[in-house]
Amino acid sequence: EADIYQTPRYLVIGTGKKITLECSQTMGHDKMYWYQQDPGMELHLIHYSYGVNSTEKGDLSSESTVSRIRTEHFPLTLESARPSHTSQYLCASSEWRSGSSETQYFGPGTRLLVL
Amino acid sequence: QQPVQSPQAVILREGEDAVINCSSSKALYSVHWYRQKHGEAPVFLMILLKGGEQKGHEKISASFNEKKQQSSLYLTASQLSYSGTYFCGLRSYNTDKLIFGTGTRLQVFP
């Protein structure tokens, strides 16, 4: 069972507000990921990190930014929220193992609604 | 390019079997299968590596055809708890990112 947490679980906010979605994991995993998922649709990678001070943009363009100051923490920030940002945001982490392919463990997600 | 899953949706009676397919246009290193229930996070089911096959969960198994760049997930004697959306996540060579498929919605009725 993976220990990865996201807060808040639900967020309703007005246009133009700055928001930060929190993601923490207690497994000591080096790699962490942010995905965006619309209801019933596929997951799109928006950011990932190989470790502390490492951040990379994913396959889906996003106006959000991330930081990785500590191994266990990978927050996502939107400087100015817009209705087009309304979606579910899923955080995941994984650990590299020799001779294997990493399994990603997901947090419960944050459902964001921008009015 | 995003992996394609088929079928898009499956409706089953309890105890029936189902097969979900996932295909890619790229050479694959590994295939990961996840199940996501409504309003919840995806849950890892199993992983298949190039040259191998691993069973990971309940009465669910999977195959990986490297030449065809395809994977299939087999659900036997389905249970109500199998309901959800199934995603394949594909990892190609020279990358450690997963690209997720379009999803297959499975509904099991009593």
Side-chain angles (χ1 to χ4, degrees):
Chain A
E1 196 71 26
D3 296 322
I4 181 165
Y5 309 97
Q6 290 185 243
T7 57
R9 292 292 311 277
Y10 304 91
L11 180 62
V12 181
I13 201 162
T15 296
K17 299 290 186 182
K18 178 181 178 179
I19 60 172
T20 296
L21 309 184
E22 302 287 350
C23 175
S24 296
Q25 50 97 3
T26 59
M27 299 168 284
H29 287 173
D30 288 327
K31 296 185 180 181
M32 296 188 74
Y33 313 82
W34 276 104
Y35 292 88
Q36 185 174 342
Q37 183 185 33
D38 292 328
M41 303 298 286
E42 60 271 25
L43 293 85
H44 293 288
L45 182 67
I46 52 176
H47 297 284
Y48 61 103
S49 167
Y50 291 118
V52 172
N53 294 326
S54 156
T55 60
E56 303 285 344
K57 288 192 178 295
D59 302 314
L60 181 68
S61 176
S62 174
E63 294 168 343
S64 58
T65 60
V66 292
S67 63
R68 190 88 183 277
I69 299 173
R70 292 180 291 152
T71 299
E72 63 271 20
H73 196 213
F74 191 39
L76 180 145
T77 299
L78 275 166
E79 290 293 333
S80 180
R82 295 208 301 265
S84 60
H85 296 142
T86 294
S87 188
Q88 176 169 244
Y89 293 83
L90 290 162
C91 180
S93 71
S94 68
E95 178 184 41
W96 180 85
R97 291 184 180 179
S98 176
S100 179
S101 186
E102 304 134 41
T103 297
Q104 292 188 18
Y105 296 96
F106 285 84
T110 294
R111 287 180 180 267
L112 174 65
L113 173 60
V114 183
L115 301 174
Chain B
Q1 192 172 2
Q2 187 173 24
V4 176
Q5 288 184 232
S6 63
Q8 286 185 306
V10 184
I11 299 175
L12 297 174
R13 290 282 185 189
E14 214 173 353
E16 293 180 337
D17 302 339
V19 180
I20 299 172
N21 300 302
C22 175
S23 62
S24 171
S25 58
K26 293 185 177 181
L28 301 175
Y29 175 75
S30 63
V31 180
H32 305 231
W33 283 98
Y34 287 82
R35 177 173 61 212
Q36 184 178 30
K37 292 184 179 290
H38 181 70
E40 299 180 9
V43 173
F44 171 75
L45 293 176
M46 67 183 70
I47 183 174
L48 298 98
L49 304 175
K50 179 178 179 295
E53 172 182 319
Q54 296 185 24
K55 294 185 180 182
H57 204 266
E58 300 172 347
K59 293 182 183 177
I60 301 174
S61 61
S63 64
F64 179 18
N65 187 323
E66 299 156 36
K67 289 184 179 179
K68 292 185 177 180
Q69 295 163 188
Q70 291 178 346
S71 178
S72 295
L73 186 71
Y74 306 95
L75 300 98
T76 57
S78 58
Q79 305 169 15
L80 297 177
S81 61
Y82 286 7
S83 294
T85 301
Y86 290 77
F87 291 100
C88 61
L90 306 185
R91 181 181 167 190
S92 301
Y93 290 91
N94 301 319
T95 179
D96 47 12
K97 294 186 293 183
L98 289 181
I99 307 298
F100 285 89
T102 48
T104 295
R105 185 170 292 183
L106 180 79
Q107 184 69 52
V108 181
F109 288 96

